[in-house]
Amino acid sequence: MSGHRRTARRPASGLALLLALTAACSPGSGPSDTATGRTPAPPAATGGPSTGSPFWVDPQSDAARQVARWEQQGRKGDAEVLRRISERPMALWGPGDDPGPEIRRARAGAAAEGRTLVLVAYNIPHRDCGQHSAGGAWNADAYRRWIGAFADAIGDARAIVVLEPDAVPHIVDGCTPAEHHDERYRLLSEAIGRLKAQPNTRVYLDAGNPAWIPDPEKLVEPLKRAGIDRADGFSLNVSNFQPDAAGRAYGERISRGTGGKHFVIDTSRNGDGPLPGNRDQAWCNPPGRALGAPPTDRTGDALLDAYLWIKRPGESDGTCRGGPQAGRWWPDYALGLARRARQ
């Protein structure tokens, strides 16, 4: 995801009703490259910080594996701190080659625990304008096949899908060349329709963050062209650090322009807000940041459906500040986020 998006990267809502039904029925950044190493998958998290959340906790996340590894090495204090990440639900980013196996694995785990999946579809052609998270499907037909496999893997599971972080804001800021705009709008609209064909899937089309596109009115028409009228809403602050209050105010303005659409906010790393100073350097592995509000659908805001950890805390933004490639697990950075967390 680009530096631009980060300097500027989850009466009762419909989502609350869906999640209530889920409980009643009793079940960049970029795509994650899980470093499995040789550490066996730890047991599923139970209780702890995830208690009360309707969302599924992945027992095979990098954070969970790191906890197991550090416990084996005798680093029990660090392992305990890292549980602030490993025992909380994070979005699963569908792999770019074949999203099916990972999503089906997650679907089975969520069904067994009566919880809701949180997924990210991030494979649009010409992704991230060739920057840190460059890539995506080779062409439109490849993307259609990919999003079809993504949706098929969800099946009838209860799921939230955050659709294509950056894709619309990169049209608005001019980073995506004009010759790709019409195709992108068409693919996003088709993707919404394909995902909404699944009976229990909710779709939130990404709308950047308030420091990236300061005037939210500039996003309204592009979101409409991308099919937001058929989506459940839009996502904000993915992989970024903007405070919750700023996100709520921004979301309310976009909502007014899109016929009252609801939204979700990524709180994975915004506990201390953005890094002060040079905004051109603030988006990529900024030091001194902290985990934000734990994932929940209890937001106290009629338009705000959920706080979610969409960016997986501890995955690198890119090779800045000594980090690994975008999307790779960075345990030291993860530990810092967890140590500074207030919740």
Side-chain angles (χ1 to χ4, degrees):
M1 297 182 185
S2 78
H4 293 290
R5 79 178 302 280
R6 294 196 185 94
T7 59
R9 334 354 192 58
R10 321 139 345 96
S13 70
L15 177 57
L17 176 59
L18 173 66
L19 296 173
L21 291 172
T22 299
C25 294
S26 89
S29 177
S32 171
D33 292 311
T34 302
T36 58
R38 295 187 178 182
T39 304
T46 58
S50 65
T51 299
S53 169
F55 309 117
W56 180 65
V57 176
D58 186 355
Q60 297 185 29
S61 70
D62 287 313
R65 293 179 183 277
Q66 193 69 57
V67 166
R69 187 175 297 118
W70 279 346
E71 286 181 338
Q72 290 175 352
Q73 296 170 352
R75 294 178 59 177
K76 296 189 181 299
D78 289 343
E80 189 61 29
V81 170
L82 199 62
R83 290 183 188 278
R84 296 173 184 171
I85 297 176
S86 70
E87 293 184 352
R88 285 173 171 157
M90 299 173 279
L92 175 67
W93 295 61
D97 51 356
D98 180 3
E102 271 295 280
I103 294 177
R104 286 190 292 272
R105 175 187 70 83
R107 173 186 172 180
E113 298 178 13
R115 296 187 182 271
T116 298
L117 285 176
V118 180
L119 305 170
V120 180
Y122 185 58
N123 201 38
I124 200 81
H126 316 292
R127 188 179 70 195
D128 203 30
C129 311
Q131 301 182 77
H132 283 278
S133 295
W138 286 106
N139 56 37
D141 286 341
Y143 184 73
R144 292 183 179 104
R145 290 192 295 272
W146 185 86
I147 204 70
F150 192 108
D152 286 344
I154 295 172
D156 62 358
R158 292 173 174 84
I160 294 169
V161 178
V162 174
L163 181 61
E164 296 300 341
D166 298 348
V168 172
H170 269 325
I171 290 176
V172 176
D173 74 3
C175 185
T176 298
E179 61 264 29
H180 300 314
H181 290 187
D182 287 345
E183 176 187 82
R184 177 162 294 185
Y185 284 130
R186 186 164 56 251
L187 289 177
L188 289 171
S189 181
E190 291 175 7
I192 291 170
R194 180 64 189 85
L195 291 163
K196 289 300 296 178
Q198 306 310 121
N200 297 306
T201 294
R202 300 182 66 81
V203 180
Y204 293 84
L205 179 62
D206 189 61
N209 67 72
W212 182 6
I213 310 291
D215 180 2
E217 298 300 322
K218 293 181 177 180
L219 285 159
V220 170
E221 188 58 32
L223 288 169
K224 290 179 177 179
R225 287 190 63 186
I228 190 135
D229 60 311
R230 291 179 295 120
D232 295 277
F234 53 93
S235 59
L236 296 174
N237 201 47
V238 175
S239 298
N240 210 275
F241 305 86
Q242 304 307 311
D244 295 342
R248 289 194 299 269
Y250 193 72
E252 288 169 5
R253 293 179 64 187
I254 295 176
S255 179
R256 285 197 295 270
T258 55
K261 287 296 183 181
H262 289 204
F263 56 97
V264 297
I265 294 177
D266 185 353
T267 59
S268 58
R269 305 184 300 176
N270 71 347
D272 282 336
L275 183 71
N278 186 347
R279 291 173 58 188
D280 289 337
Q281 301 297 320
W283 67 272
C284 191
N285 300 324
R289 302 306 91 199
L291 301 174
T296 181
D297 62 326
R298 301 173 185 176
T299 68
D301 187 317
L303 289 174
L304 177 55
D305 285 349
Y307 293 121
L308 302 173
W309 284 6
I310 301 171
K311 170 73 176 184
R312 296 169 73 87
E315 291 186 359
S316 177
D317 295 315
T319 55
C320 54
R321 295 189 171 96
Q325 293 181 346
R328 296 292 180 89
W329 173 246
W330 190 2
D332 290 341
Y333 195 83
L335 185 61
L337 292 171
R339 285 197 188 284
R340 290 183 287 270
R342 295 185 178 87
Q343 301 183 58

